[in-house]
């Protein structure tokens, strides 16, 4: 990758990160650390500090630092990673369906789980604030989007919003019904998505 694409290419960073993860898995932290740091530096320069791959590099480096016993450094890196991910989830929510938002949040759940495994510098577990923020952020984004749509001056938008509310209520009721079939659920999910 380095020879064909150049040292400062995102794919080279992926190769370095993967090699670092291998060393990490083999508990060879001293070999993993410079590779993980180089991968992070490449992604920072080539992709920027708001990119999800940069956030994952922060998470990977934080996990390594945590396993090396450097909890203070790990916490700082995890916090930066979570801030980037949260900002990205909020920004993307404007054009994603509820299902897409849930999938996006789920794909980054590992970062939150990793952060929750590190005690803070006083030796206490992390506050539940992270968990509540993670779980509540999707609901808040959905409510904000629906409020915006309901107050829109466009009649077609308001009509679509009313249809979304009806479909969401019907889907919630159907999920609680013992008579619900997979086909029924999929049909209502498709209606809600539309």
């Amino acid at each position: 990758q380095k020879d064909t694409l150049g040292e400062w290419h995102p794919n080279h960073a992926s190769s370095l990160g993967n090699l670092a993860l291998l060393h990490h898995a083999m508990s060879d932290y001293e070999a993993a650390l410079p590779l993980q740091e180089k991968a992070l530096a490449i992604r920072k320069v080539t992709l920027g500090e708001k990119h999800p791959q940069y956030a994952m590099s922060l998470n990977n480096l934080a996990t390594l630092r945590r396993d090396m016993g450097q909890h203070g450094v790990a916490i700082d890196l995890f916090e930066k990673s979570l801030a980037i991910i949260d900002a990205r989830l909020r920004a993307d929510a404007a054009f994603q369906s509820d299902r897409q938002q849930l999938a996006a949040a789920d794909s980054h759940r590992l970062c939150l789980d990793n952060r929750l495994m590190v005690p803070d510098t006083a030796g206490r577990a992390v506050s539940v604030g992270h968990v509540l923020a993670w779980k509540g952020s999707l609901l808040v984004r959905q409510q904000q989007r629906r409020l915006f749509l309901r107050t829109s001056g466009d009649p077609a938008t308001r009509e679509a919003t009313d249809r979304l509310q009806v479909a969401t209520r019907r889907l919630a009721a159907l999920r609680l019904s013992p008579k619900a079939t997979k086909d029924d659920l999929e049909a209502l999910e498709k209606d809600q998505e539309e």
Side-chain angles (χ1 to χ4, degrees):
Q1 295 279 4
K2 181 179 176 182
D3 290 344
T4 58
L5 300 172
E7 184 175 1
W8 292 91
H9 193 280
N11 288 359
H12 180 233
S14 295
S15 294
L16 291 173
N18 289 338
L19 184 57
L21 291 173
L22 175 63
H23 285 295
H24 186 169
M26 297 186 326
S27 299
D28 187 357
Y29 304 144
E30 297 307 316
L33 184 59
L35 296 168
Q36 205 61 267
E37 288 174 336
K38 181 67 173 182
L40 179 67
I42 293 170
R43 286 186 170 133
K44 181 178 182 178
V45 168
T46 59
L47 301 173
E49 294 183 59
K50 295 180 180 179
H51 197 278
Q53 288 183 22
Y54 179 74
M56 288 308 297
S57 283
L58 284 169
N59 179 72
N60 292 342
L61 182 57
T63 303
L64 177 60
R65 293 288 190 173
R66 177 197 67 204
D67 292 351
M68 294 173 75
Q70 300 171 357
H71 291 173
V73 175
I75 287 172
D76 291 342
L77 294 167
F78 281 131
E79 293 291 338
K80 288 178 185 175
S81 175
L82 286 170
I84 294 165
I85 290 167
D86 183 55
R88 184 61 177 248
L89 290 173
R90 277 187 275 113
D92 291 350
F95 59 84
Q96 291 177 324
S97 69
D98 293 353
R99 186 183 318 172
Q100 290 168 324
Q101 290 180 49
L102 287 168
D106 191 48
S107 71
H108 293 293
R109 177 63 193 265
L110 174 67
C111 296
L112 175 62
D113 293 343
N114 285 334
R115 170 60 185 98
L116 294 174
M117 287 193 274
V118 183
D120 70 14
T121 54
R124 298 178 309 261
V126 68
S127 73
V128 295
H130 278 295
V131 177
L132 293 175
W134 192 269
K135 290 180 176 278
S137 62
L138 176 62
L139 177 62
V140 169
R141 289 190 300 268
Q142 290 169 343
Q143 288 174 339
Q144 288 171 341
R145 182 180 61 203
R146 288 178 182 158
L147 177 62
F148 169 77
L149 293 174
R150 276 196 309 271
T151 58
S152 170
D154 178 35
T157 301
R158 283 198 311 270
E159 181 184 334
T161 303
D162 292 341
R163 286 183 41 233
L164 173 61
Q165 287 178 324
V166 169
T168 301
R169 286 188 197 117
R170 289 180 55 213
L171 185 58
L174 188 61
R175 284 185 177 139
L176 297 174
S177 171
K179 297 178 182 179
T181 67
K182 181 180 175 185
D183 291 340
D184 293 338
L185 287 169
E186 287 177 354
L188 269 179
E189 286 171 351
K190 182 179 178 188
D191 188 38
Q192 183 188 43
E193 193 86 18
E194 290 172 1

